[in-house]
Amino acid sequence: MSDMKIMVGVKRVIDYNVRVQVKSDGSGVVTDGVKMSINPFDEIALEEALRLKEAGKAAEVIAVSVGPSQAQEQLRTALAMGADRGILVTTAEQPQPLAVAKIFAALYAKEQPGLVILGKQAIDDDAGQVPQMLAGLLDVAQATNASKVELEGESARVTREIDTGIEVIEIRLPAVLSVDLRLNEPRYVKLPDIMKAKKKPIETIDAQALGVERLTFLRVIKTSTPPARQGGHKVGSVEELVQELKQRGFV
Amino acid sequence: MFQEPPQSHTVLLGEALQSSAAQVTALLQVAGMGEYLAADLTAAVLDQAQRFASEKLAPLRRSGDESGCRMGPQGVETPAGWPQAYQDLVSAEWLALGFPEAMGGQGLPWPLACAVHELLAKANMAFALSGILTNGACHLLQAFGSPAVKERYLPRLVTGRWSGTMCLTEPQAGSDLRLVRALVRQDQQGNWRLWGTKIFISYGEHDLTENIVHLVLARQEGAGEGHAGLGVYLVPRFLEQDQVAEGQGSGPTDSRKANAVRCTRLENKMGLHGSPTCELLFDGAWCIPLTQPGDGLAVMFSMMNLERLLVAVQALGVAQGAMEQAWDYAMTRCQGRASHATEGAAPIVEHADVQRMLRHMEILVGGCRMLLLQAAWMLEVADHAPQEAARHKARARFELLVPVVKSFVTDAAIDVADTAIQVWGGQGYIRDNGIEQYLRDVRVTAIYEGTNGIQAMDLVRRKIARDKGAVVRALLDDVDRDISTTSPVENGIRKGVSVLQDWIAAMGDALGQGKGFVVEYCAADLLRSLGALLACAGWARLATDAGAASRVRLLANEAQLTWIPLIAASHERFKSLLAQGSL
């Protein structure tokens, strides 16, 4: 499998350090002038792909981003980390998970990667749907929430973090992986690699050219900040607590 | 109404870089400096440098302050974790950013290098200082080293694999370097050897690199007193194979072939504890002359220009760090009811007086950044512009701006660090919280690399008086022209320009009438006024470029409300003192 390609998703999201603000008209969150970064889970996905390549288990790592033209910045960072080339799929509006999955499916058909590695979720919408939808569309194996990945020939042994503990599964390639936080620690980028990344190719494709016309399937009605926390108070006894819970209609 | 916190540091830096490039393009009327900055490259550099700084260096800031450096059996040891962090810094090549590719650098513009140094200094000023000194040493060798010296030392210094120092100060020779006594003479084999004691040598000895290259100001035996006998000599801490035969015969020699130079004392300082400040004893150390006797001070000052710019960068980084901490605290600390709120304790950010302090810090930091980057772009144009005239003009502007940037920014940074303590209140005074460290660390920036008083003398006596104010007047004219065509907030700046034009003209007359003492007495005021005007102009430029950001317009306006009256008042004081005739 040493000639295998790995495709990695790189989503442009608001940086995890930014205090996100809701727009005053409730139509979304403020992104103007806000620092944007690679989704942290996607960084972990990319790091894993790079480690597999460095271990001789893959030949090429392709970073893919779906979004506005500024997502080039995040692709450049991915290239500086070590991805070999980038693909930017531009869309007229923010695509929802199913559209993103369809775009990845179309690219999969074109590129024929042995592995697609994606973050388990993006920190902006926390949808956590694209990997599963993609595996379904492609009808290939999937391993989600991976915390350890070992490639052995035509298959992969994947350790997953699940609610009840740790699960180890074996899947046949090609496959879709979604990665969890503890899989690895993404590398620090060196300045010379940022410079080299300038010369690496980024191909820009419009989503329509991949046959994906419809980008949204859900309508966002309103975005708002969570209600401010109400102050609590101490109760003197269990009786008082039950009384209060009843009063408030909780029991 | 209270304001939200400023943008993240890397966004502010990106905007200031673009904006200052546009400003310098307009001021100098040269081809677009913005072309030097590819937006996606700039963002990638800043983001990655920020990640490195915040994850690798910032965690060592407090611990380094507490533990400091110590004398170990093999020489000076830096705080725990520093050698590893330094290796990581070198391997990521952040220090090589601004140097030409032929030297092993990355050939990126100096303003971008300044931005990266700002991020490093914010995370850990005491640590980042080592890289700044090495950068300065590279600059000197690049300009004055022989081909053999460059070939041997530059590749190792540019990335920081080896470090550099500048050894100027001696106990009796601080601001007055003509008093330097360190002595150089040839031994019987004809090798040059250096004797003397240097003090206050930052990173004079440490365990971060395998070798240290000292650039030493010293007097050649018999070459004369004052500045006439002074030259610059390169003294490696450890000799290389081919240097050993010449170098041996004096001083201790161990397996690493130590040269006869060692640290005899570590200073116990107010702050910057993680940075080893050494007394160095040169005891017949083998050395390479880099200059003719008599050229030493001029050559050292060429290195000093970049160093002074980078000292301002350090100070700005610390100020930014202190400001961020102040905002974080003000957003989360709840005390008292805000005048416009109704119930419960409000985060203190909602109190008007806290807003005043936060805004004060933001105006200083943002204005200083634009001032500093203006100077950095001048350096870039001076080095790289295709037209000789533009290079010449930019060089003169850069040299004029150096003392202004150094003093104005470091004074402002001290103010900002002090204000951050005030925002934190009692908690700011508690050492464990790490806020007062900013003030203790940054305080030295007003002192080292030429005290701010020396900068003021440099401005009036050298940079303005020498050419009868030609360069400064041209700069003011350009500011006036630029502001009238681009900025929505021009009135105050225009007034400031005319006040300063009057001041400089009167200063020339006063010098002619033997009233030099009054001129020098008011030199710090003049320097601050010039810095404040340029900071206002920087804000105005940001307000023009930023388009939608109403916050920036607000701050640009407040910068003028703060500074322009101060400029006018300082000028009045100067005029009154002049009229009075004596002090």
Side-chain angles (χ1 to χ4, degrees):
Chain A
M1 289 294 278
S2 64
D3 58 347
M4 181 174 80
K5 292 181 189 175
I6 303 180
M7 201 157 87
V8 178
V10 173
K11 186 175 182 184
R12 173 183 169 91
V13 298
I14 294 182
D15 186 79
Y16 71 100
N17 279 312
V18 171
R19 215 182 290 259
V20 175
Q21 286 171 37
V22 174
K23 283 184 189 162
S24 52
D25 64 359
S27 64
V29 299
V30 177
T31 54
D32 282 350
V34 170
K35 178 168 158 52
M36 306 297 279
S37 299
I38 297 181
N39 174 38
F41 290 106
D42 297 348
E43 254 183 344
I44 294 169
L46 175 58
E47 177 66 34
E48 197 62 19
L50 296 174
R51 289 184 189 188
L52 288 170
K53 186 189 163 190
E54 283 159 4
K57 297 193 168 166
E60 189 181 32
V61 175
I62 309 161
V64 178
S65 193
V66 181
S69 61
Q70 299 97 307
Q72 288 233 11
E73 289 174 18
Q74 280 63 44
L75 281 175
R76 285 281 167 218
T77 303
L79 296 175
M81 276 180 75
D84 297 291
R85 61 190 165 96
I87 300 175
L88 173 61
V89 180
T90 51
T91 55
E93 57 181 325
Q94 181 74 28
Q96 289 176 351
L98 184 57
V100 176
K102 286 180 172 175
I103 288 168
F104 270 89
L107 290 175
Y108 178 92
K110 210 172 138 194
E111 298 285 350
Q112 295 293 314
L115 265 180
V116 180
I117 312 184
L118 304 168
K120 71 166 183 176
Q121 70 197 79
I123 61 166
D124 52 359
D125 57 18
D126 278 340
Q129 296 170 7
V130 173
Q132 297 85 329
M133 285 173 165
L134 176 61
L137 288 171
L138 297 176
D139 197 20
V140 300
Q142 64 169 320
T144 55
N145 300 11
S147 64
K148 191 176 178 190
V149 177
E150 299 153 281
L151 286 193
E152 291 152 16
E154 298 288 310
S155 65
R157 234 174 122 79
V158 180
T159 306
R160 309 179 57 230
E161 295 186 357
I162 58 175
D163 288 348
T164 50
I166 298 288
E167 181 184 77
V168 181
I169 61 170
E170 205 167 291
I171 54 169
R172 190 190 298 271
L173 302 187
V176 176
L177 294 184
S178 83
V179 305
D180 215 326
L181 204 58
R182 278 164 289 275
L183 178 60
N184 59 47
E185 193 192 326
R187 67 195 57 195
Y188 291 89
V189 176
K190 296 172 194 270
L191 179 62
D193 293 334
I194 296 175
M195 305 301 286
K196 280 182 212 147
K198 277 203 307 186
K199 300 194 179 79
K200 292 183 181 176
I202 295 179
E203 181 188 358
T204 304
I205 311 174
D206 191 82
Q208 288 189 342
L210 294 172
V212 180
E213 302 278 341
R214 189 168 172 193
L215 298 171
T216 59
F217 303 86
L218 307 167
R219 190 162 56 86
V220 176
I221 297 166
K222 197 177 100 180
T223 305
S224 62
T225 46
R229 230 182 90 196
Q230 303 289 317
H233 64 274
K234 276 190 179 167
V235 290
S237 66
V238 174
E239 286 75 22
E240 258 184 72
L241 175 66
V242 172
Q243 185 70 27
E244 192 134 346
L245 289 174
K246 275 184 180 164
Q247 261 177 17
R248 298 195 185 190
F250 292 143
V251 292
Chain B
M1 271 310 289
F2 72 93
Q3 281 202 338
E4 297 295 328
Q7 287 296 346
S8 64
H9 194 181
T10 50
V11 172
L12 294 174
L13 283 168
E15 286 173 0
L17 282 167
Q18 294 293 349
S19 205
S20 57
Q23 185 183 28
V24 170
T25 303
L27 289 177
L28 288 178
Q29 300 183 306
V30 293
M33 298 308 298
E35 291 161 21
Y36 286 72
L37 287 172
D40 54 351
L41 178 71
T42 301
V45 167
L46 295 176
D47 286 354
Q48 297 305 321
Q50 158 71 7
R51 176 169 175 232
F52 178 83
S54 65
E55 293 177 16
K56 294 272 189 184
L57 305 187
L60 301 174
R61 187 179 79 97
R62 282 296 302 129
S63 57
D65 182 50
E66 291 302 333
S67 72
C69 300
R70 62 188 197 100
M71 294 285 250
Q74 304 298 321
V76 175
E77 294 171 5
T78 54
W82 289 41
Q84 181 57 50
Y86 190 84
Q87 289 315 309
D88 294 339
L89 175 73
V90 170
S91 77
E93 297 196 22
W94 291 116
L95 299 178
L97 209 145
F99 290 100
E101 288 173 65
M103 283 168 63
Q106 293 295 347
L108 287 165
W110 275 109
L112 186 55
C114 288
V116 168
H117 276 295
E118 190 185 320
L119 290 166
L120 301 178
K122 175 179 78 165
N124 192 334
M125 176 184 162
F127 181 96
L129 173 58
S130 65
I132 283 177
L133 290 160
T134 304
N135 265 197
C138 290
H139 220 60
L140 189 149
L141 292 178
Q142 183 188 5
F144 300 103
S146 68
V149 163
K150 284 191 211 179
E151 194 181 333
R152 185 189 289 262
Y153 292 102
L154 276 180
R156 284 130 150 189
L157 286 168
V158 161
T159 54
R161 200 148 58 80
W162 289 9
S163 73
T165 71
M166 50 198 291
C167 303
L168 278 66
T169 306
E170 297 176 12
Q172 79 293 343
S175 295
D176 187 355
L177 291 168
R178 291 170 308 169
L179 303 176
V180 158
R181 284 188 199 141
L183 189 75
V184 173
R185 66 166 176 259
Q186 279 178 299
D187 64 16
Q188 287 168 341
Q189 289 78 41
N191 298 314
W192 293 98
R193 294 191 178 277
L194 195 151
W195 284 266
T197 298
K198 293 286 181 181
I199 61 168
F200 298 167
I201 310 307
S202 298
Y203 283 88
E205 195 175 298
H206 57 77
D207 53 1
L208 302 180
T209 57
E210 63 192 57
N211 206 351
I212 302 172
V213 177
H214 302 290
L215 301 179
V216 186
L217 188 67
R219 188 176 299 287
Q220 190 180 317
E221 191 173 47
E225 295 298 305
H227 68 80
L230 293 174
V232 179
Y233 299 83
L234 185 156
V235 181
R237 180 186 184 194
F238 293 106
L239 301 170
E240 292 176 90
Q241 285 298 338
D242 62 322
Q243 298 169 338
V244 171
E246 296 181 2
Q248 262 175 352
S250 169
T253 313
D254 70 3
S255 59
R256 286 204 288 170
K257 284 106 186 165
N259 199 358
V261 51
R262 65 196 159 90
C263 175
T264 43
R265 176 190 157 84
L266 272 176
E267 301 296 347
N268 186 9
K269 310 186 292 294
M270 173 181 180
L272 218 60
H273 294 153
S275 157
T277 304
C278 303
E279 177 187 82
L280 289 183
L281 177 66
F282 295 84
D283 190 13
W286 181 86
C287 64
I288 304 172
L290 293 179
T291 66
Q292 294 298 316
D295 293 344
L297 278 182
V299 167
M300 272 297 181
F301 276 108
S302 84
M303 167 162 160
M304 204 75 116
N305 272 334
L306 182 67
E307 289 298 289
R308 285 174 176 171
L309 183 68
L310 290 174
V311 166
V313 171
Q314 286 186 299
L316 184 58
V318 173
Q320 172 76 27
M323 178 178 79
E324 288 176 13
Q325 298 261 11
W327 267 102
D328 281 353
Y329 190 72
M331 298 284 283
T332 49
R333 169 75 173 167
C334 293
Q335 288 289 289
R337 290 188 182 179
S339 54
H340 61 275
T342 48
E343 61 182 87
I348 59 170
V349 68
E350 298 193 19
H351 296 298
D353 187 59
V354 176
Q355 272 289 318
R356 170 188 65 78
M357 291 189 280
L358 293 170
R359 237 182 263 190
H360 173 66
M361 289 192 271
E362 196 175 350
I363 288 167
L364 287 174
V365 169
C368 284
R369 186 173 287 125
M370 287 298 287
L371 167 62
L372 193 157
L373 289 175
Q374 182 182 143
W377 279 119
M378 293 296 174
L379 183 60
E380 191 67 20
V381 177
D383 282 352
H384 298 301
Q387 317 88 329
E388 163 70 29
R391 285 203 302 272
H392 185 75
K393 190 173 177 187
R395 173 74 57 195
R397 290 274 169 96
F398 172 70
E399 288 181 359
L400 172 74
L401 288 174
V402 164
V404 180
V405 171
K406 198 273 182 184
S407 298
F408 187 81
V409 176
T410 58
D411 282 345
I414 291 167
D415 185 346
V416 170
D418 191 48
T419 307
I421 296 176
Q422 197 66 20
V423 171
W424 273 67
Q427 296 294 351
Y429 198 63
I430 302 298
R431 191 160 162 141
D432 291 345
N433 289 329
I435 305 306
E436 52 84 59
Q437 187 189 339
Y438 288 117
L439 181 59
R440 284 188 290 107
D441 284 354
V442 82
R443 184 61 183 82
V444 74
T445 59
I447 300 168
Y448 64 21
E449 307 297 346
T451 64
N452 286 5
I454 291 286
Q455 304 302 320
M457 294 309 114
D458 181 45
L459 178 70
V460 298
R461 282 294 187 187
R462 201 171 292 140
K463 304 294 167 62
I464 295 182
R466 252 186 212 176
D467 67 359
K468 303 203 179 345
V471 172
V472 70
R473 279 202 308 272
L475 171 68
L476 290 169
D477 286 344
D478 284 347
V479 168
D480 196 50
R481 176 175 44 76
D482 181 42
I483 222 70
S484 62
T485 55
T486 60
S487 173
V489 278
E490 61 171 83
N491 293 339
I493 293 175
R494 193 142 256 198
K495 181 180 172 201
V497 166
S498 87
V499 168
L500 278 164
Q501 293 282 29
D502 289 351
W503 192 336
I504 285 156
M507 191 189 108
D509 297 343
L511 286 174
Q513 295 156 7
K515 293 178 179 169
F517 196 78
V518 178
V519 168
E520 290 183 0
Y521 191 81
C522 295
D525 282 351
L526 178 65
L527 184 151
R528 191 176 55 248
S529 298
L530 188 53
L533 180 81
L534 296 174
C536 283
W539 268 115
R541 167 62 70 166
L542 274 174
T544 312
D545 291 356
S550 59
R551 170 199 200 89
V552 175
R553 281 202 296 277
L554 196 103
L555 292 169
N557 188 48
E558 198 167 326
Q560 292 192 21
L561 293 177
T562 309
W563 275 320
I564 302 299
L566 279 180
I567 295 171
S570 299
H571 181 225
E572 288 305 317
R573 190 168 93 115
F574 173 64
K575 283 196 294 189
S576 301
L577 291 173
L578 263 189
Q580 201 177 296
S582 66
L583 290 171

